[in-house]
Amino acid sequence: MMRLLLALLLGAGISISPSAEAAGTQNQAGTPNRLIASGSPYLLQHAYNPVHWFPWGPEAIEKARRENKPVFISVGYSTCFWCHVANRSLFQNPEIAALMNSWFVNIKIDREQRPDLDRVLMEATLILTGSRGWPNNLFLTPDLEPFLAGSYFPPEPDDFGRPGFPDVLKQVHADWTTRRALLTDKGRTVVARIRESHRPAPRVPIAPEDWRRAGAQDWLARTDAGHGGFVVATGAKFPQTPALAFLLAEQRIRPRAQLLAAIRAALDAMSAGGIHDHVGGGFHRYAIEPTWSIPHFEKMLYDNAQLLSLYAEAHTVTGDPRYRRVAEDIAAHLARDKEAGG
């Protein structure tokens, strides 16, 4: 009987179309791999890797089953910083590629081209690691049961305690050779948890006002009283723009001093902190620590679009001219960089 994860992953099928853009890929020395036929700019960036990449599809899965090899899946997208770092430091390295080619069937996926696959695979990574991010790298049994996952692996062990990717490959190969039952049991556990998460939810009475009230209270309970925004378990702190937009909508409908204070604390901390580019305008994607001081230097169009709307709405709700200035700053940054081709 086909397992749930396999059904979820294969359900949408596969579409691979030839592209004349192949000539524009990076690292064009040597023979291209199977990604050369892709229509995805992200996959084409990996088309000349020494890794024997497969696109998602039955050919790779059948090979893994026929040769009884684990599957390595790497999911990324074209504007992901660490995806590009991984390409340079890992997948263009012939020695690392040799280990991957010898021991695994390797699949590259563009999450923007296949959000359906990305969603299921990220759910597996969250179960295995408790966190998520891209690149999303997973090791699976030939039956597509994930047993190990992680984001960026450095080429060598680093000061953050991350193992080097060659060491990860060697350990997985050793475990697959000598402790295979342990990996397959772990993979089945992950699949069972995914199956459970996809069970239909019981019907409950529709009570939008109760849900909104409970949601606002939940977000208020997570507020970071010291630094603004919301408390995080890890070091990285994101603006959580949809949550703030929801709280603003609640404040407009049912004004509360506590709610407004939490909203203003977040908006003020973000606009005054390092996540806000006070020179170039706009906002970086997130801060790498809880005080908003040190940004991850990556600006995303969708983040700034949401923040522009958020600060404009905050000006409407509060009348505070500072929020209007921040909104105008974001708009000027987007207009200027668009004209400059950024």
Side-chain angles (χ1 to χ4, degrees), residues 10-339:
L10 286 177
I14 180 169
S15 175
I16 299 296
S17 57
S19 172
E21 297 177 3
T25 56
Q26 308 177 32
N27 189 30
Q28 292 195 12
T31 304
N33 55 50
R34 289 171 176 82
L35 301 184
I36 196 66
S38 173
S40 159
Y42 172 70
L43 296 185
L44 288 172
Q45 291 167 359
H46 294 267
Y48 284 86
N49 289 163
V51 178
H52 297 162
W53 290 117
F54 284 81
W56 173 260
E59 182 185 5
I61 298 166
E62 289 167 6
K63 176 179 172 66
R65 289 175 170 174
R66 185 174 62 252
E67 300 180 7
N68 202 20
K69 288 183 175 180
V71 176
F72 173 70
I73 295 182
S74 182
V75 186
Y77 57 104
S78 60
T79 57
C80 166
F81 174 79
W82 287 106
C83 298
H84 291 289
V85 174
N87 187 22
R88 294 192 302 271
S89 64
L90 304 179
F91 305 139
Q92 292 182 16
N93 184 314
E95 294 179 0
I96 292 176
L99 299 180
M100 296 173 66
N101 296 337
S102 178
W103 295 333
F104 305 95
V105 175
N106 304 289
I107 298 175
K108 249 297 172 194
I109 295 174
D110 180 352
R111 69 174 292 256
E112 295 180 317
Q113 186 182 57
R114 295 303 304 266
D116 51 340
L117 303 179
D118 176 62
R119 183 169 56 253
V120 177
L121 292 168
M122 189 57 75
E123 186 175 356
T125 296
L126 186 60
I127 291 170
L128 285 164
T129 69
S131 61
R132 48 190 167 190
W134 294 273
N136 185 22
N137 295 312
L138 305 96
F139 293 89
L140 305 89
T141 70
D143 287 328
L144 299 181
E145 299 164 324
F147 58 81
L148 182 69
S151 186
Y152 174 71
F153 293 104
E156 298 178 354
D158 63 14
D159 295 337
F160 297 101
R162 294 180 298 187
F165 191 52
D167 294 332
V168 173
L169 296 173
K170 292 172 185 176
Q171 187 61 57
V172 172
H173 173 64
D175 288 345
W176 184 253
T177 302
T178 63
R179 307 166 65 198
R180 186 171 305 178
L182 183 66
L183 302 186
T184 55
D185 287 347
K186 190 172 185 179
R188 289 184 186 124
T189 300
V190 172
V191 170
R193 290 185 60 181
I194 293 175
R195 179 185 293 114
E196 183 64 28
S197 72
H198 285 262
R199 290 186 187 277
R203 292 188 176 185
V204 296
I206 298 175
E209 289 192 13
D210 292 343
W211 295 347
R212 288 199 301 266
R213 189 177 299 109
Q217 198 57 42
D218 183 61
W219 281 106
L220 280 174
R222 304 185 203 183
T223 54
D224 184 342
H227 304 297
F230 303 103
V231 174
V232 293
T234 58
K237 198 170 189 180
F238 289 77
Q240 300 284 9
T241 308
L244 289 170
F246 164 66
L247 294 181
L248 264 176
E250 280 296 291
Q251 178 63 21
R252 185 190 280 272
I253 298 168
R254 284 175 285 274
R256 280 192 282 164
Q258 183 187 15
L259 199 58
L260 182 59
I263 295 167
R264 293 186 73 114
L267 295 175
D268 294 346
M270 291 190 300
S271 61
I275 192 175
H276 182 196
D277 187 345
H278 297 272
V279 177
F283 281 75
H284 296 287
R285 188 161 171 246
Y286 62 92
I288 65 172
E289 42 67 60
T291 72
W292 303 108
S293 301
I294 306 173
H296 177 72
F297 291 98
E298 178 183 36
K299 292 182 185 179
M300 308 301 290
L301 176 61
Y302 59 83
D303 287 327
N304 280 279
Q306 291 182 75
L307 286 164
L308 170 57
S309 176
L310 178 69
Y311 277 94
E313 178 67 9
H315 169 66
T316 301
V317 172
T318 67
D320 192 327
R322 294 178 302 164
Y323 300 147
R324 174 172 178 163
R325 287 196 293 270
V326 175
E328 290 173 340
D329 167 84
I330 297 172
H333 155 66
L334 293 175
R336 181 180 62 251
D337 284 359
K338 178 182 179 183
E339 291 301 320

